[in-house]
Amino acid sequence: MQVNIKGIVELDKLNMSNILLNSKDEFSYDTRKNQLIKEISDGIKIVEYNNGLQLAGYIQYDFLENGNCFILSLQVHPLHRDGAVLKTLFKSFAKELNKEKPNALISYVHMSNPISIQLHKRLKFEIQKEYEQKFKFIIEGINLQKLIDKFHK
């Protein structure tokens, strides 16, 4: 499958520009594009969902050597936040999780991103630590298995 690099970077810009500004940072299209290309060449994985010609959402993740899975990015287009896109993305993601059997899922979320914070809490992630304007979320054990089972049917 061909990764929609342009669509991912544009969706990141749409969703993350204000969040980054609230964290005293700035979105750079070229930096994100180059970073994404490098990450893909390094082997990260991406699950995408397109609604027609528009990228409606994606999950970017990597299985780490320590047995955990790190979610680098989870983005859903503002016009598609009714839950259907997220459910479709998580169904595909859960298939991969079921195959790889990670010990934990780890994700970092900007403190200025209430939508993502609420989503992580709703999915039963727990805040493990706070780092420079971000929360480190983790889900493991029975809660992780319940999450996988919920979407992997």
Side-chain angles (χ1 to χ4, degrees), residues 10-12 15-16 29 32 36 39 41 45 53 71 85 96 99 103-104 106 108 111-112 137-138 146-147 153:
E10 288 175 359
L11 183 55
D12 286 350
N15 285 348
M16 295 302 297
Y29 188 96
R32 175 58 177 139
L36 182 60
E39 290 167 348
S41 71
K45 296 164 180 37
L53 297 176
I71 300 172
V85 170
E96 295 300 312
K99 281 192 281 188
N103 301 320
I106 298 168
Y108 288 86
M111 291 176 183
S112 59
F137 279 94
I138 187 166
K146 284 180 182 178
L147 179 64
K153 297 175 182 173

Side-chain angles (χ1 to χ4, degrees), residues 90 94 97-98 102-103 105 122-125 139-153:
F90 262 94
L97 295 173
N98 198 49
N103 301 320
L105 286 179
R122 196 171 73 228
L123 293 173
K124 306 291 188 221
F125 280 76
I139 185 170
E140 56 192 337
I142 191 72
N143 287 333
L144 175 56
Q145 193 56 54
K146 284 180 182 178
L147 179 64
I148 294 169
D149 293 345
K150 177 179 179 177
F151 292 101
H152 186 259
K153 297 175 182 173

Side-chain angles (χ1 to χ4, degrees), residues 2 6-7 17 25 29 31 34 61 64 68-71 73 79 85 101 109 111-112 120 124-125 128 132 147:
Q2 182 72 22
K6 182 177 185 226
S17 290
D25 204 350
Y29 188 96
T31 299
N34 293 333
Y61 61 98
L64 307 176
N68 295 333
C69 180
F70 180 59
I71 300 172
S73 186
L79 297 177
V85 170
K101 307 272 191 238
V109 176
M111 291 176 183
S112 59
H120 281 75
K124 306 291 188 221
F125 280 76
Q128 189 178 53
E132 304 173 8
L147 179 64

Side-chain angles (χ1 to χ4, degrees), residues 63-129:
F63 292 105
L64 307 176
E65 291 179 15
N66 66 3
N68 295 333
C69 180
F70 180 59
I71 300 172
L72 287 87
S73 186
L74 188 165
Q75 300 288 341
V76 176
H77 194 284
L79 297 177
H80 300 286
R81 291 194 178 147
D82 62 358
V85 170
L86 189 63
K87 187 174 183 178
T88 301
L89 287 169
F90 262 94
K91 280 184 177 184
S92 297
F93 186 41
K95 286 180 189 175
E96 295 300 312
L97 295 173
N98 198 49
K99 281 192 281 188
E100 294 290 330
K101 307 272 191 238
N103 301 320
L105 286 179
I106 298 168
S107 178
Y108 288 86
V109 176
H110 286 88
M111 291 176 183
S112 59
N113 188 348
I115 293 171
S116 186
I117 291 168
Q118 285 305 110
L119 172 65
H120 281 75
K121 288 180 177 180
R122 196 171 73 228
L123 293 173
K124 306 291 188 221
F125 280 76
E126 295 179 357
I127 296 173
Q128 189 178 53
K129 291 184 182 178

